Amino acid sequence: MVPRLWHVFFERNPLKILGIDPGLQITGYACVEVENPDSTHAGIREPRLLDAGIIRLPAGTSVQARLVELERDLVGLLDTHNPDEVCVEKLYSHYERPTTAIIMGHARGVVLLTAQRSGATVTELAATEVKKSLTGHGHATKAQMQESVKSQCGLPELPSPPDVADAIAIALCAARRSAFQHTH
């Protein structure tokens, strides 16, 4: 069976990908599109940034209330952009901070559930893969990621907060990966 994304890539032009950097205080998001490669264009076209920003969840409210608000805001983003793919960074946390991993898991769960319900293909990327694809180094710092995203997207200033740069990087990496896979 051919994955859904393969069909979408060749039937719909351009392919839209929403990158999400989940969090319970700030969730970064970015939507990019990449043109369908065709016989008149050799190689893979670079993704184009359409939108990026953050969902800021109110501090001091319960985890449950923030999760409900996160889901509501994600539904709005998915309705607005109608992405073919939603890509989320895989959960990584040092074993010294298991509580952080559990709390972040709640936000990721809402993102994954909401994306799956939207009908988009849901993918996950390791942070090291995203960093390596943008900077050439899998352990790049937040500042290096912001600078790389600024440069590659032709932005006039560094994307801030870093959650936005992370979401843009996730979307760019996913778009390049999908375009490459479907041309080979």
Side-chain angles (χ1 to χ4, degrees), residues 16-20 29-32 77-78 81 83 85-88 171:
K16 285 174 127 181
I17 298 177
L18 185 65
I20 304 284
Y29 68 88
C31 187
V32 300
L77 279 173
L78 292 163
H81 293 294
E85 179 181 349
V86 175
C87 189
V88 183

Side-chain angles (χ1 to χ4, degrees), residues 25-47:
Q25 292 180 351
I26 297 174
T27 291
Y29 68 88
C31 187
V32 300
E33 69 178 8
V34 62
E35 296 292 327
N36 182 356
D38 56 31
S39 59
T40 63
H41 181 76
I44 299 169
R45 296 180 186 188
E46 274 299 298

Side-chain angles (χ1 to χ4, degrees), residues 17-154:
I17 298 177
L18 185 65
I20 304 284
D21 180 33
L24 273 179
Q25 292 180 351
I26 297 174
T27 291
Y29 68 88
C31 187
V32 300
E33 69 178 8
V34 62
E35 296 292 327
N36 182 356
D38 56 31
S39 59
T40 63
H41 181 76
I44 299 169
R45 296 180 186 188
E46 274 299 298
R48 183 172 67 98
L49 181 63
L50 300 176
D51 184 25
I54 60 169
I55 298 170
R56 189 177 301 276
L57 302 171
T61 59
S62 70
V63 170
Q64 302 90 311
R66 284 183 274 167
L67 292 173
V68 167
E69 187 164 335
L70 177 59
E71 188 264 348
R72 186 175 26 245
D73 290 348
L74 287 171
V75 167
L77 279 173
L78 292 163
D79 286 347
T80 298
H81 293 294
N82 190 26
D84 302 293
E85 179 181 349
V86 175
C87 189
V88 183
E89 191 171 85
K90 288 182 180 175
L91 182 62
Y92 172 78
S93 180
H94 293 287
Y95 62 88
E96 296 98 14
R97 298 190 192 110
T99 303
T100 301
I102 292 168
I103 290 171
M104 290 303 298
H106 294 320
R108 278 190 85 251
V110 167
V111 170
L112 294 171
L113 175 67
T114 306
Q116 186 68 37
R117 282 186 175 161
S118 77
T121 298
V122 180
T123 58
E124 299 177 80
L125 293 172
T128 53
E129 181 179 352
V130 173
K131 290 176 180 184
K132 188 171 184 174
S133 78
L134 264 74
T135 67
H137 181 54
H139 299 285
T141 65
K142 292 267 187 201
Q144 289 170 324
M145 290 299 291
Q146 287 175 290
E147 193 61 51
S148 182
V149 166
K150 175 188 175 206
S151 172
Q152 291 183 34
C153 292

Side-chain angles (χ1 to χ4, degrees), residues 154-167:
L155 301 175
E157 57 190 40
L158 292 178
S160 184
D163 310 80
V164 176
D166 290 347

